[in-house]
């Protein structure tokens, strides 16, 4: 079983719509959770950290469910520029990060 | 955040040759840097943790004699792919973790795309 699992998508989303997707992790001792965004052939860039109480950054909302060991990302009012692959990232041991394979989001006009 | 650079951004080399990739932390001193590899449509896979002034720590299945890591200063780590083969063609990315963060957040360099012919 992979340490971090994501639905690869693609999620095809009309511009202006809302899209949400989850990621599950296997290490119950993980303490830090992130969503990174990766554009094609580029490096990952931090989108937001995910806090226990859930947090929002503009049109992006992240939630953490420790009991079920999943985190979620919701994008409201999708823009064409939101098209990317979203990587779920969880800390493992010794400061290492575990990456999911990513969920592809395609926002269409 | 941290500013991280990598050089070169892309390289094409012949099978059997060696390629060196540099990772630089531009705005702070990084005692720890990480090297990742990403194949198409796959997740980033940690190859090794680069520690300034000491030997790198390699992940299981990563050949330390093939992927030589040198972290000679607090701002520079290098990855040398020795005797490269076509299966080594991949996207190599380094990252740094800022020392003041306890939540393991990392900042990535722009990556180096290696193609071995």
């Amino acid at each position: 079983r992979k340490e971090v699992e994501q639905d690869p998508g693609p999620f095809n989303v009309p511009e202006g719509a809302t899209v949400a997707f989850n990621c599950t992790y296997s290490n119950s001792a993980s303490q830090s959770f992130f969503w990174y965004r990766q554009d094609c052939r580029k490096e990952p860039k931090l989108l937001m950290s995910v806090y226990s109480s859930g947090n929002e950054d503009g049109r992006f909302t992240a939630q953490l469910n420790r009991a079920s060991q999943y985190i979620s990302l919701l994008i409201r009012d999708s823009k064409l520029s939101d098209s990317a692959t979203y990587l779920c990232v969880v800390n493992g041991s010794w400061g290492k990060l575990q990456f999911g394979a990513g969920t592809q989001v395609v926002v269409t006009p | 955040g941290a500013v991280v650079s990598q050089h070169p951004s892309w390289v094409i080399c012949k099978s059997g040759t060696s390629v060196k990739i540099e990772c630089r932390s531009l705005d702070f001193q990084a005692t720890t840097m990480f090297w990742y590899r990403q194949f198409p449509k796959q997740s980033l896979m940690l190859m090794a943790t680069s520690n300034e002034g000491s030997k790198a720590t390699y992940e299981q299945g990563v050949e330390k004699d093939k992927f030589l890591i040198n972290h000679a200063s607090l701002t520079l780590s290098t990855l040398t792919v020795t005797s490269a083969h076509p299966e080594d063609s991949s996207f190599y990315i380094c990252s740094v973790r800022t020392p003041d963060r306890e939540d393991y957040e990392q900042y990535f360099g722009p990556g180096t795309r290696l193609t071995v012919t």
Side-chain angles (χ1 to χ4, degrees):
Chain A
R1 182 187 172 189
K2 293 181 183 177
E3 304 235 14
V4 180
E5 299 211 48
Q6 294 184 249
D7 181 341
F11 285 67
N12 294 296
V13 185
E15 194 175 6
T18 296
V19 61
F21 41 89
N22 295 338
C23 137
T24 59
Y25 61 94
S26 61
N27 185 352
S28 60
S30 295
Q31 295 296 320
S32 298
F33 309 89
F34 309 94
W35 283 105
Y36 278 76
R37 170 194 170 126
Q38 186 173 27
D39 293 295
C40 187
R41 302 176 74 85
K42 298 285 188 180
E43 79 277 19
K45 293 188 177 178
L46 180 67
L47 179 66
M48 59 196 302
S49 301
V50 185
Y51 303 120
S52 296
S53 56
N55 50 299
E56 188 175 304
D57 184 357
R59 298 181 293 107
F60 298 85
T61 301
Q63 296 280 353
L64 167 64
N65 185 316
R66 286 189 186 274
S68 300
Q69 294 183 206
Y70 75 84
I71 65 174
S72 65
L73 181 66
L74 181 146
I75 307 173
R76 288 188 303 277
D77 187 23
S78 297
K79 311 292 185 189
L80 296 176
S81 57
D82 294 333
S83 296
T85 296
Y86 292 84
L87 306 178
C88 173
V89 184
V90 176
N91 81 290
S93 56
W94 307 107
K96 300 176 186 177
L97 296 182
Q98 304 287 347
F99 287 79
T103 295
Q104 185 183 8
V105 172
V106 179
V107 182
T108 55
Chain B
V3 180
V4 183
S5 71
Q6 273 184 248
H7 177 80
S9 55
W10 60 270
V11 58
I12 301 173
C13 71
K14 292 186 176 180
S15 188
T17 61
S18 295
V19 175
K20 179 185 284 188
I21 303 170
E22 293 185 350
C23 175
R24 291 183 185 275
S25 174
L26 299 182
D27 55 355
F28 76 97
Q29 296 179 330
T31 55
T32 303
M33 295 184 179
F34 301 90
W35 285 97
Y36 295 84
R37 180 168 55 180
Q38 186 179 32
F39 293 106
K41 296 194 180 298
Q42 294 186 24
S43 62
L44 272 73
M45 297 301 297
L46 180 64
M47 299 176 66
T49 303
S50 172
N51 304 298
E52 188 270 336
S54 63
K55 292 183 179 179
T57 304
Y58 290 81
E59 295 300 299
Q60 191 172 14
V62 178
E63 298 175 58
K64 62 180 181 180
D65 294 329
K66 179 172 181 62
F67 299 99
L68 302 178
I69 292 174
N70 186 336
H71 195 149
S73 76
L74 289 171
T75 59
L76 173 64
S77 175
T78 61
L79 168 68
T80 301
V81 182
T82 64
S83 187
H85 291 284
E87 57 265 31
D88 297 323
S89 299
S90 187
F91 191 44
Y92 291 86
I93 313 174
C94 69
S95 73
V96 303
R97 186 174 70 226
T98 54
D100 59 333
R101 295 297 296 260
E102 296 181 350
D103 63 356
Y104 306 105
E105 181 178 322
Q106 293 180 17
Y107 296 91
F108 291 85
T112 296
R113 196 160 298 279
L114 171 63
T115 301
V116 185
T117 61

